[in-house]
Amino acid sequence: MKVLAIHGGPRKGWNTDTLLKKALEGAASAGAETEMVQLYDLKFRGCVSCLSCKLKKEPRPNRCVLRDDLTAVLDKAHVADAVILGSPIYFSEITGEARSFLERFLFQYLNYDDTNSPLSPRKRMGLVFTMNCPETLFGQIGYHDLFKRYENWMTRFFGHCEMLLSTDTLQAKDYSRYHLGRFDADAKRLRHETVFPQDCQKAFEMGVKLAKGN
Ligand SMILES: Cc1cc2nc3c(=O)[nH]c(=O)nc-3n(C[C@H](O)[C@H](O)[C@H](O)COP(=O)(O)O)c2cc1C
């Protein structure tokens, strides 16, 4: 049982990275072999639409042919029993790096002959998204649709998806050092001390669930 976490954010030791590590701790506690990939340490591009993965040859390629730092990650994700992608939300989307990873990860398996039958191996997927936005604003700014879209893609391609949303996160250790005046620093700190540990626990449980497969 292999569980691979892919961190699509730049800040090690912060919200997304911490939740992914908790998820891997949970997976390891259930007996899984775990590994973490930091996308921001790698040099890679998104899909270049070369269509090599769709060439008419036998056996069907179905694998990305681009060779860069993401190649080994795609190989690991291909054989992992569970893959957890984590990203902070930037401008109401996942980061560019996380998105580039997903373009390469998903397009190789996309079946243009029958889009309802992707060529991906079955596996359990986890999504971990962190954001400044409180859940009360999700309806107003379209975040329910955003997250549902990613959940649907994962389920369609891999058959299973767990999702964890960590909202209203702490963005700076000391808010007084930055022009972050629209945020209530004390409320952010309090939430980080009370709610974020609960999110960490949920991440741990997600890891256990993904590793156990139930
Ligand atoms: C470039 C940038 C854009 C951001 N855009 C959003 C946004 O659109 N919505 C939101 O809720 N938070 C936004 N944030 C806040 C981050 O999503 C939030 O602080 C997140 O928890 C950071 O994750 P990290 O602590 O793992 O780095 C943005 C942060 C940055 C740096």
Side-chain angles (χ1 to χ4, degrees), residues 51-116:
L51 297 184
S52 298
C53 60
K54 313 274 173 261
L55 274 175
K56 281 190 175 170
K57 60 181 188 187
E58 287 301 329
R60 286 172 74 141
N62 300 338
R63 300 300 307 280
C64 181
V65 305
L66 272 188
R67 292 291 169 256
D68 59 18
D69 288 356
L70 201 66
T71 307
V73 180
L74 293 175
D75 287 344
K76 286 175 186 173
H78 184 72
V79 297
D81 300 283
V83 176
I84 311 170
L85 174 65
S87 177
I89 296 303
Y90 284 1
F91 295 102
S92 297
E93 254 303 343
I94 63 173
T95 65
E97 274 73 0
R99 183 89 193 171
S100 291
F101 161 75
L102 271 190
E103 285 176 6
R104 299 260 302 272
F105 188 40
L106 297 183
F107 192 71
Q108 60 183 349
Y109 302 133
L110 184 66
N111 182 355
Y112 269 144
D113 292 330
D114 173 6
T115 47
N116 287 323

Side-chain angles (χ1 to χ4, degrees), residues 9-82:
R11 300 204 298 175
K12 290 175 190 158
W14 276 86
N15 299 282
T16 320
D17 189 43
T18 302
L19 291 171
L20 288 173
K21 284 184 178 135
K22 290 287 169 194
L24 289 187
E25 275 176 31
S29 77
E33 191 186 314
T34 65
E35 186 177 347
M36 177 91 149
V37 169
Q38 299 282 351
L39 285 184
Y40 274 73
D41 287 347
L42 308 180
K43 285 195 167 39
F44 66 97
R45 292 183 292 175
C47 177
V48 296
S49 197
C50 66
L51 297 184
S52 298
C53 60
K54 313 274 173 261
L55 274 175
K56 281 190 175 170
K57 60 181 188 187
E58 287 301 329
R60 286 172 74 141
N62 300 338
R63 300 300 307 280
C64 181
V65 305
L66 272 188
R67 292 291 169 256
D68 59 18
D69 288 356
L70 201 66
T71 307
V73 180
L74 293 175
D75 287 344
K76 286 175 186 173
H78 184 72
V79 297
D81 300 283

